[in-house]
Amino acid sequence: MGDAPREHDSHPSDTGPQPLDIEAFRAVQASAPYVALRRRHRLFVLPVTAACLLWYLAYVLVAGYAPQVFAITVSGSINLGMVWGLAQVVTTFAVTMTYVWYANKHLDPAAAEIRAQLETGAAPTATTTEVTA
Amino acid sequence: MSAALLTAALAPVLSAQATDSASPGDPLLNIAIFGAFVAVTMVIVFRASRNNKTASDYYAAGRSFTGGQNGSAIAGDYLSAASFLGIVGAIAVTGYDGFLYSIGFLVAWVVALLLVAELLRNTGKFTMGDVLAFRLRQRPVRIAAAISTLVVSFFYLLAQMAGAGGLVSLLLGIEERVGQSVVIAVVGGLMILYVLVGGMKGTTWVQIIKAVMLIAGAGLMTVWVLALHGFDFSRLLDAAVATTGNPAILEPGLKYGLSDVTRLDFLSLGLALVLGTAALPHVLMRFYTVPTAKEARKSVVWAIWLIGIFYVFTLVLGYGAAALIGPERIAAAPGGANSAAPLLAFELGGPVLLGIIAAVAFATILAVVAGLTITAAASFSHDVYASVIKKGTATPAQEVKVARITVVVIGLVAIVGGIGANGQNVAFLVALAFAVAASANLPTIVYSLFWKRFTTRGALWSMYGGLGSAIILIALSPVVSGAETSMIPAADFAVFPLANPGIVSIPLAFLLGWLGTITDRRREDPAKQVEMEVRSLTGVGAEKASAH
C-alpha cells in the first residue's frame, strides 16, 4: 500500500463516529447481555475507585493530623507509617491484579461477543473503520 | 555521530570549567555515558521512523506497541527527574514526608486503570479532544481540550527544562549560566530531533530504554544500600537517624506538618496527584499507541508494577542517602536536595555509577520532554488545525506537517523558557500541571464517559472553570508573591494561602460541569451517546493497528 494515506486517516474522523447504523447500536444497548456487561463494569470500577481514593485519603489525613499514629513502633525502627505506606503500594497492586482477573473473567468475553455480533451480522456499516488494511 | 556532536559542543565549556568543577564525579565520563545513550537511541529512532507514513504512525506509533512496551514507556514518561531526583532528595532531607508524596503518584494509577484507559482507547483516536468531541460539539470542546493540553504540557515542560540547568551544574560541573544555557539548548535540540524524526514510535523507544536504565540503576543502588546494612531495613533507618541526628525523619511532619496551612496544602497536593495523573495529556495519548483496549489495560498494569516498585526503591535510596551522606552535605551540594541520588551513586560506585545515574537523569529529562512535545504538537495539529481550522479537510500529510512544525516551535519555546527559568524557583510547576489536569481534564473525561446527560456547556464550564481557577489561585498564592521563596518576593498579593490550588479548583470543576449541564436547555445528540457508550465498553469500531 506504499505511501498512499490509508482510508481512515483521510477523514480524520474528527466527527468521531463513522457512518453508523444507529438502530444496531440502540438494539445492542437495550439487549440483556449488554445491560449485564455495563452493570458488571460499573459495579466494579466505581466502588473500587471510590474505596481506593478513600483509603488514600485516610492515609493522608492520618499523616497530617495524627502523626503520632504513624510513629507507633512495629518492629525495630520500622513504624506504622512505613507499614501503612507500603500497604498503600500493596493494595494498589492487589486492586490491579483483581481487576485484571475480573475483566478477563466477567467483562472481556461478554464484550467480545457483543462486538462480534455488531461487526458481523447486525450492523454492516459499523465496520467501515476497518477498510484500512 | 550525535554523541560526537554533543561532546564537541560541550568541550569548550567543559575545559573552561574543569579547574573548579563542582561535580564529585568526572564530567567527561558523565557526558560519554550520556552520549552513548543518545547514540543508541538515535539509531533506534532512525530505524523506527522508516515506517512513519500516516498520521496514525506519527501520533500513535501505528498502534503497534504491546501492553508491556507501552507500560514501560508510560513508566519512563511518568518517572521524571522530579520523581527520581526529587523524591530521593525529599526523603533524604525531610524523611517520611518525601515518601508520603510518592504514594499519591502511585495510587493515582488506579483511576487511570479503572476509569480512563480502556474507555478512552475505545472511543478516541489520537487526543483527549477526540473523546470529548465524540458526542459533544466539535469546535468548542476541541479548542478547550487543546488549550488545556497546551497549558499542562507547557508547565510540565518548563519545569523539566529548568531542572536541566540545576542538573548540569551538579553533574557536569558547569556553574556559569552561559555554559548551562548551552547544555539546555543541546538537550532541547536533541529532543526536537527525536520527535521530528521518530514521531511517537521514536519517542516511545526513548522512554522504554530510559525506563529500563532508570529502574535497573535504582534497583542496583537499592540492593547495594540494603547490603551495606545487612539487608535489614530497620538497621538502615537506625543508620539514617544516627547520621542525621534527627529521629523525626522516620515520622511524617518535617515538611508538611509544620502548621494547619501546610497540612491542608498537602491534602490539596495529594488530591491533585491522585486525580491529575489519569488526565495528564501525555499519559492519555500513550493509551492510543496500543492495538486494543485490553492492551491499554495491560499497559497500565505494567506501569503500576514498574512505578510501584520504583517508589519502594526510592524509599530505600532516600534513607540510604540520609544514612551514608547526611542532609548537610546534600544541602551544600549544587542542586540541593536533587543531588542526593547522584551523591549516593558516587558514594556507592564511584565515578562510573555516578556517570550512569547522571546519564539516566539526562535521559529522563529528554524522554519526558519528548513525550510532552509530541502530545502538545498532536493536540494543536489534530484538534486545532485539522478539526477546527481546516474543518476536517486537511490530508494526513498536511496534518503531520503541521505537527512537525509545531514540534520545532514548542522545542524552541522550551529551550528559551528553560534558559529563562534556570535558577528560578519553578518546582511548583509540576504540581500545578497535575492540579490543572485534575481540574480542567478529569471531570470532563469522567462525565463524558459515565454521564449520559452531560452537555457541551457543562464541558466548557468545567474545563475553563477548572483551568482558570487553578491558575488564578496559584497567581494569588505565596508561590508567586508575598514570601521570601516567591517568584516575586518584593510584592505581596497572596490572598490564597495554599501553594496547591487543587482542593478548591477540582471540586469547583466537577460542580461547574454538573451545573453547566443541568441548566443547559440544549440536548446533545442521543444517537451519538448510545454509540459512544456501546463503543466504549465493547470496542466496536475502535481504531485498529496499522498493518506494517
Side-chain angles (χ1 to χ4, degrees):
Chain A
M1 59 187 201
D3 286 317
R6 286 193 305 271
E7 186 68 21
H8 73 283
D9 279 323
S10 53
H11 318 265
S13 92
D14 304 318
T15 47
Q18 305 290 326
L20 60 118
D21 183 353
I22 181 60
E23 289 317 313
F25 279 111
R26 278 195 213 280
V28 163
Q29 201 194 29
S31 70
Y34 177 82
V35 172
L37 170 67
R38 188 178 58 195
R39 191 165 159 274
R40 279 199 299 270
H41 178 258
R42 296 201 170 176
L43 230 65
F44 188 96
V45 300
L46 297 178
V48 172
T49 305
C52 286
L53 293 179
L54 286 175
W55 170 232
Y56 173 71
L57 188 68
Y59 171 71
V60 170
L61 286 176
V62 172
Y65 296 93
Q68 65 279 8
V69 174
F70 274 27
I72 295 169
T73 302
V74 173
S75 159
S77 287
I78 299 172
N79 58 28
L80 191 61
M82 306 275 169
V83 174
W84 196 343
L86 292 173
Q88 288 280 342
V89 178
V90 172
T91 50
T92 304
F93 288 163
V95 164
T96 305
M97 296 327 288
T98 309
Y99 175 65
V100 168
W101 167 82
Y102 184 87
N104 283 335
K105 193 166 155 55
H106 296 293
L107 304 178
D108 289 353
E113 206 163 292
I114 297 168
R115 187 166 62 237
Q117 184 197 340
L118 262 172
E119 281 176 350
T120 53
T125 54
T127 54
T128 42
T129 43
E130 289 170 274
V131 290
T132 68
Chain B
M1 173 206 80
S2 34
L5 271 180
L6 179 71
T7 319
L10 292 179
V13 186
L14 283 171
S15 52
Q17 287 296 318
T19 44
D20 57 339
S21 167
S23 169
D26 179 351
L28 279 175
L29 181 67
N30 295 351
I31 293 183
I33 297 175
F34 178 60
F37 168 84
V38 171
V40 169
T41 45
M42 219 29 118
V43 171
I44 293 172
V45 165
F46 271 96
R47 292 180 63 93
S49 66
R50 284 193 208 142
N51 277 332
N52 271 347
K53 288 176 188 129
T54 63
S56 164
D57 291 332
Y58 192 73
Y59 294 142
R63 314 191 193 283
S64 58
F65 281 105
T66 65
Q69 290 169 331
N70 190 39
S72 311
I74 290 175
D77 213 347
Y78 193 65
L79 299 173
S80 64
S83 324
F84 174 45
L85 305 179
I87 290 176
V88 172
I91 296 174
V93 175
T94 63
Y96 191 88
D97 280 8
F99 184 51
L100 194 60
Y101 181 56
S102 68
I103 293 297
F105 282 111
L106 175 66
V107 173
W109 283 95
V110 170
V111 180
L113 175 71
L114 297 180
L115 298 187
V116 179
E118 295 170 48
L119 305 180
L120 188 94
R121 174 64 188 82
N122 274 340
T123 48
K125 197 169 170 174
F126 302 128
T127 65
M128 182 180 86
D130 288 338
V131 176
L132 306 184
F134 198 110
R135 68 186 175 95
L136 304 179
R137 272 179 291 139
Q138 290 282 330
R139 254 179 97 85
V141 295
R142 278 196 191 272
I143 292 173
I147 289 176
S148 151
T149 298
L150 290 172
V151 168
V152 173
S153 302
F154 179 71
F155 286 158
Y156 216 111
L157 201 63
L158 203 57
Q160 301 295 325
M161 294 301 280
L167 211 56
V168 171
S169 76
L170 171 69
L171 300 174
L172 305 183
I174 301 171
E175 299 220 42
E176 60 171 38
R177 274 192 77 92
V178 179
Q180 295 187 355
S181 302
V182 170
V183 180
I184 291 176
V186 170
V187 170
L190 279 172
M191 181 279 292
I192 294 175
L193 198 60
Y194 278 122
V195 180
L196 217 49
V197 175
M200 188 50 124
K201 217 174 271 177
T203 306
T204 305
W205 279 112
V206 173
Q207 287 163 343
I208 292 173
I209 296 168
K210 174 238 140 170
V212 171
M213 282 172 68
L214 176 63
I215 294 169
L220 173 74
M221 285 170 66
T222 301
V223 173
W224 201 325
V225 166
L226 285 174
L228 289 178
H229 297 88
F231 290 100
D232 182 349
F233 186 55
S234 183
R235 240 178 83 188
L236 169 63
L237 296 179
D238 291 337
V241 171
T243 309
T244 57
N246 183 5
I249 59 165
L250 304 185
E251 295 155 24
L254 281 182
K255 183 171 163 67
Y256 303 117
L258 301 175
S259 68
D260 281 339
V261 170
T262 60
R263 282 188 202 108
L264 199 60
D265 214 358
F266 183 72
L267 190 60
S268 183
L269 174 63
L271 205 60
L273 296 183
V274 292
L275 297 178
T277 298
L280 287 173
H282 60 295
V283 167
L284 297 176
M285 194 160 168
R286 293 230 55 91
F287 298 141
Y288 296 120
T289 64
V290 291
T292 60
K294 188 161 177 154
E295 291 296 321
R297 181 195 308 150
K298 281 188 195 160
S299 311
V300 185
V301 172
W302 270 86
I304 286 177
W305 280 102
L306 294 173
I307 293 166
I309 290 168
F310 180 80
Y311 284 140
V312 174
F313 288 163
T314 61
L315 179 68
V316 174
L317 295 180
Y319 282 120
L324 297 170
I325 298 162
E328 288 84 20
R329 268 174 66 199
I330 293 170
N338 279 339
S339 67
L343 289 177
L344 181 65
F346 185 72
E347 186 81 20
L348 293 173
V352 174
L353 189 58
L354 176 69
I356 293 171
I357 295 302
V360 168
F362 273 106
T364 291
I365 291 183
L366 200 61
V368 175
V369 167
L372 288 164
T373 303
I374 194 162
T375 305
S379 181
F380 178 78
S381 161
H382 183 65
D383 289 329
V384 178
Y385 170 77
S387 304
V388 174
I389 297 176
K390 288 286 189 171
K391 300 196 165 59
T393 61
T395 66
Q398 284 174 316
E399 199 181 316
V400 171
K401 191 177 162 198
V402 170
R404 288 202 154 109
I405 295 169
T406 317
V407 166
V408 176
V409 172
I410 294 171
L412 293 176
V413 169
I415 292 171
V416 172
I419 291 171
N422 185 14
Q424 301 273 321
N425 182 11
V426 291
F428 74 94
L429 283 174
V430 171
L432 181 60
F434 276 83
V436 170
S439 317
N441 299 352
L442 189 78
T444 301
I445 292 173
V446 170
Y447 280 143
S448 62
L449 289 171
F450 287 91
W451 188 22
K452 269 183 208 174
R453 170 82 170 80
F454 192 50
T455 67
T456 304
R457 192 165 79 160
L460 297 178
W461 282 24
S462 175
M463 293 178 90
Y464 288 121
L467 177 70
S469 62
I471 290 177
I472 290 169
L473 288 176
I474 205 85
L476 297 178
S477 80
V479 165
V480 172
S481 75
E484 273 176 45
T485 51
S486 303
M487 286 174 69
I488 317 168
D492 185 358
F493 46 88
V495 291
F496 182 69
L498 306 180
N500 293 287
I503 203 164
V504 177
S505 62
I506 298 168
L508 181 71
F510 271 104
L511 180 75
L512 286 172
W514 173 78
L515 201 67
T517 299
I518 58 153
T519 57
D520 194 354
R521 255 173 284 137
R522 192 174 167 145
R523 293 286 189 275
E524 304 299 334
D525 181 359
K528 291 270 174 66
Q529 194 281 323
V530 171
E531 188 192 357
M532 183 173 178
E533 192 196 281
V534 173
R535 278 189 180 213
S536 74
L537 275 179
T538 61
V540 170
E543 296 288 331
K544 299 286 192 289
S546 58
H548 287 307

